[in-house]
Amino acid sequence: MTFTNKKKLLLGSHRGLTTQNNQPHPANTIASFEAEAQSHADYIECDCIMTKDNKLLLFHDPIISNHPVTEQYIESLQKHHPNLESLDQLLSTFVPNSQSVLSQKGLCLELKFYETTQSRKKIFAKKTLEHLDKYKLQDQTVIVSFDPEILSYIYDLNPNYALGLNLILDPQYQETHKLPKPSLSEPIIEKLSYCCPHINNYDHPKLPKLPKLIWESKNENLIYQTLKKIQKTESINQWSINHNISGITTNSVQEIAKLLSQISQD
């Protein structure tokens, strides 16, 4: 799947999470993305961190076992946390002969914002592109981040990748979730393919005039609740067109797929 050739609202799996009380598989793992609960997703969204030895790991949080992930070696991390998988492991499932359901999906790859030096950010950008190019995944990938510098380095290395800037425009939410302040004046804004606001900010007047990939945080079902409200007054498809929303990255893939299916049958 590519992000540019679809004529419908795309449905994305947020880290392989669900709103179930018992998450069947750890987030950001191949098993979580291949699970039945994510079968209706058009694309998956996963988190990527660079370890101390410049290896790319699928993980969301900056800390594991009371130590920053960026200050640990991948061999030690995977030894003590067997569920942790590398970006390379995930990308290998996207190739056509992998026999994985992921070979038919798109990839929204979030590069975490935990690097603090330009040199490390440049390495992170370079390593990311090396992995994606190895598997020839440019056409089915969007690279997103809260860090505009990393996106700039990606663009400088290869301007042909679709890029998206994650955004939260609610100061209280930024503080609660320990997210960086939004960067709406960065030069990279003009080079982006998407802006990626939280669902609470999808119609914020300060957003760049770009197609949107909207998202929600872990344990939230705000997108599903929002769509339920919208359908009472207008078509969800028309709503997505009016607000230039290309995709939704959610913890409620099954529920939203069912909702959209019911609407299409009406």
Side-chain angles (χ1 to χ4, degrees):
M1 188 216 92
T2 64
F3 282 80
T4 56
N5 67 359
K6 293 288 183 179
K7 302 300 182 182
K8 65 167 187 172
L9 177 64
L10 297 176
L11 184 56
S13 167
H14 179 229
R15 296 164 52 193
L17 293 169
T18 72
T19 52
Q20 300 172 8
N21 291 331
N22 295 317
Q23 179 73 23
H25 303 285
N28 283 314
T29 60
I30 295 169
S32 71
F33 293 121
E34 291 182 334
E36 178 64 24
Q38 313 300 334
S39 61
H40 293 289
D42 298 298
Y43 66 92
I44 68 164
E45 184 267 359
C46 64
D47 303 293
C48 186
I49 298 180
M50 190 169 70
T51 62
K52 186 173 182 178
D53 50 343
N54 301 340
K55 305 297 184 183
L56 303 189
L57 192 69
L58 304 181
F59 197 65
H60 178 273
D61 298 338
I63 304 292
I64 189 169
S65 298
N66 298 316
H67 295 285
V69 176
T70 56
E71 296 178 9
Q72 301 185 61
Y73 294 94
I74 193 168
E75 183 177 356
S76 175
L77 283 164
Q78 292 186 311
K79 177 181 178 180
H80 293 97
H81 307 277
N83 288 323
L84 293 180
E85 296 174 349
S86 69
L87 178 62
D88 193 73
Q89 287 175 280
L90 176 67
L91 298 186
S92 69
T93 67
F94 277 82
V95 297
N97 61 354
S98 71
Q99 298 184 340
S100 168
V101 295
L102 299 184
S103 65
Q104 304 300 315
K105 298 185 186 294
L107 172 65
C108 180
L109 181 63
E110 179 175 348
L111 305 186
K112 304 308 290 184
F113 54 90
Y114 309 137
E115 298 294 349
T116 57
T117 68
Q118 289 189 348
S119 60
R120 287 277 298 174
K121 291 180 183 183
K122 288 179 179 179
I123 294 171
F124 195 6
K126 183 173 183 291
K127 291 289 183 179
T128 298
L129 291 182
E130 286 176 354
H131 280 70
L132 292 169
D133 290 344
K134 173 183 175 181
Y135 293 101
K136 298 179 173 61
L137 295 178
Q138 177 179 306
D139 289 341
Q140 64 195 87
T141 301
V142 174
I143 302 172
V144 304
S145 182
F146 280 99
D147 188 334
E149 275 195 327
I150 289 179
L151 295 177
S152 294
Y153 295 140
I154 293 281
Y155 184 85
D156 290 342
L157 290 167
N158 187 338
N160 297 314
Y161 273 88
L163 303 177
L165 182 63
N166 285 346
L167 293 166
I168 280 284
L169 300 174
D170 180 347
Q172 184 175 355
Y173 195 103
Q174 291 166 21
E175 180 65 26
T176 303
H177 291 75
K178 296 181 170 53
L179 295 171
K181 293 181 179 180
S183 305
L184 294 174
S185 60
E186 298 286 339
I188 190 61
I189 294 288
E190 298 179 0
K191 312 296 184 183
L192 297 176
S193 302
Y194 299 95
C195 72
C196 308
H198 184 269
I199 178 62
N200 287 343
N201 300 142
Y202 77 85
D203 57 351
H204 198 287
K206 290 186 178 180
L207 289 176
K209 305 300 182 183
L210 290 166
K212 298 172 186 138
L213 298 175
I214 61 175
W215 55 274
E216 60 192 354
S217 292
K218 180 180 179 180
N219 298 325
E220 292 181 344
N221 69 339
L222 292 174
I223 293 179
Y224 177 69
Q225 296 300 329
T226 298
L227 295 181
K228 288 279 286 184
K229 292 178 182 178
I230 287 167
Q231 70 162 348
K232 295 178 180 179
T233 57
E234 66 176 312
S235 143
I236 291 177
N237 183 59
Q238 190 59 51
W239 167 81
S240 66
I241 293 171
N242 291 344
H243 294 280
N244 202 11
I245 296 172
S246 297
I248 51 178
T249 304
T250 178
N251 307 310
S252 305
V253 170
Q254 275 189 321
E255 295 89 338
I256 292 177
K258 184 178 180 180
L259 176 64
L260 296 177
S261 176
Q262 290 172 343
I263 293 170
S264 66
Q265 293 173 4
D266 292 342

